[in-house]
Amino acid sequence: MVMSGERPGPERAERAAGTSGASGTGGAPMSLRERKKRLTYEAVSEAAIAMFLERGFDKVSVAEVAAAADISKPTLFRYFPTKEDLALHRFADHEDEAARVVAARADTESPLDALHRHFLAGLERRDPVTGLCDVPAVVAFTRLLYGTPSLVARLYAYQNRSEEALARALGDGTGDRLAAGQIVAVLRVLGLENWRRIDGGQSAEQAYGPAVEAAELAFAQLRSGLEARR
């Protein structure tokens, strides 16, 4: 299990980081065609989210989203296989984030230390993915997400893929898959706890200290458990 400073081979790291070939998350620059597709993808999703926030997820049809975006339903489904994906593209963009952090870390930094550092940095900049963001639009979107069972269920699929990508970045052995499952679960719980503080009326500033304390505790427990198995 790769929890120390050692690294997997460069090909495995490239696959885990999502940098093999052109992409929006790293690697070679996207072509003009790919950039246009990406812009369409984001524009359709943002239009859909605006409609979901205004009327509720279940009260907006895919046909209405397609009409608002001036594309056909078949075209929409080429971008978004399910209605839920229209709302969750922001999470899809972060699907391999943990894997990318591990792949891009310094040679002297362990995967867990890199993820710990990255999460604390996310808290400091109030990254919505950490749950510690009180920007009204983000709060409204998060309430829509957790108030819609089908979106919550779909979110777990993204988290499963995040776990798989992280496992590959760690080495893809049984121990690595176990470690990835624990790490992704911890990140999920930390994010939910932070969101509950915001949803309960705390500002991001008020919730920041407790969020950091919880992160320190969580990563200390992870480090203790994972290093004990090495």
Side-chain angles (χ1 to χ4, degrees):
M1 183 171 64
V2 188
M3 295 307 298
S4 63
E6 56 188 300
R7 289 177 173 275
E11 292 183 2
R12 177 174 290 162
E14 184 180 68
R15 290 197 304 272
T19 58
S20 54
S23 76
T25 58
M30 289 186 290
S31 68
L32 177 60
R33 181 171 178 272
E34 289 169 329
R35 288 199 299 273
K36 287 182 176 179
K37 286 178 64 176
R38 180 67 183 180
L39 288 173
T40 300
Y41 174 83
E42 293 177 350
V44 172
S45 178
E46 293 304 321
I49 290 171
M51 296 171 73
F52 296 152
L53 289 172
E54 181 181 359
R55 293 163 49 193
F57 181 80
D58 294 325
K59 294 183 179 180
V60 177
S61 70
V62 171
E64 289 177 298
V65 175
D70 197 26
I71 59 175
S72 67
K73 279 182 63 176
T75 298
L76 185 147
F77 280 125
R78 283 201 294 272
Y79 285 97
F80 302 95
T82 72
K83 180 182 175 183
E84 288 75 18
D85 290 324
L86 282 162
L88 294 176
H89 88 85
R90 297 168 179 175
F91 288 91
D93 289 344
H94 291 272
E95 196 173 281
D96 63 350
E97 184 170 318
R100 285 186 278 117
V101 169
V102 167
R105 73 191 190 281
D107 290 337
T108 56
E109 188 175 35
S110 74
L112 200 56
D113 285 344
L115 291 166
H116 186 185
R117 170 182 52 76
H118 182 75
F119 189 78
L120 291 178
L123 291 178
E124 187 172 357
R125 66 176 180 270
R126 310 298 192 258
D127 189 330
V129 173
T130 68
L132 192 70
C133 183
D134 57 4
V135 173
V138 174
V139 172
F141 172 78
T142 309
R143 285 185 175 139
L144 171 73
L145 168 61
Y146 288 117
T148 308
S150 62
L151 290 178
V152 173
R154 189 66 178 174
L155 179 59
Y156 282 121
Y158 286 113
Q159 291 171 335
N160 285 339
R161 290 196 291 272
S162 177
E163 182 180 317
E164 291 167 0
L166 178 57
R168 290 193 296 272
L170 293 173
D172 215 17
T174 300
D176 302 306
R177 290 190 287 276
L178 289 170
Q182 292 178 63
I183 291 166
V184 170
V186 162
L187 294 174
R188 176 181 61 81
V189 170
L190 288 173
L192 276 172
E193 287 299 308
N194 292 336
W195 162 244
R196 288 185 181 120
R197 294 185 183 99
I198 299 298
D199 194 39
Q202 291 187 34
S203 68
E205 185 65 28
Q206 290 170 326
Y208 176 70
V212 171
E213 290 178 10
E216 295 291 0
L217 173 62
F219 277 92
Q221 290 183 351
L222 269 175
R223 189 170 288 104
S224 175
L226 293 174
E227 289 182 352
R229 282 210 303 267
R230 285 177 55 204

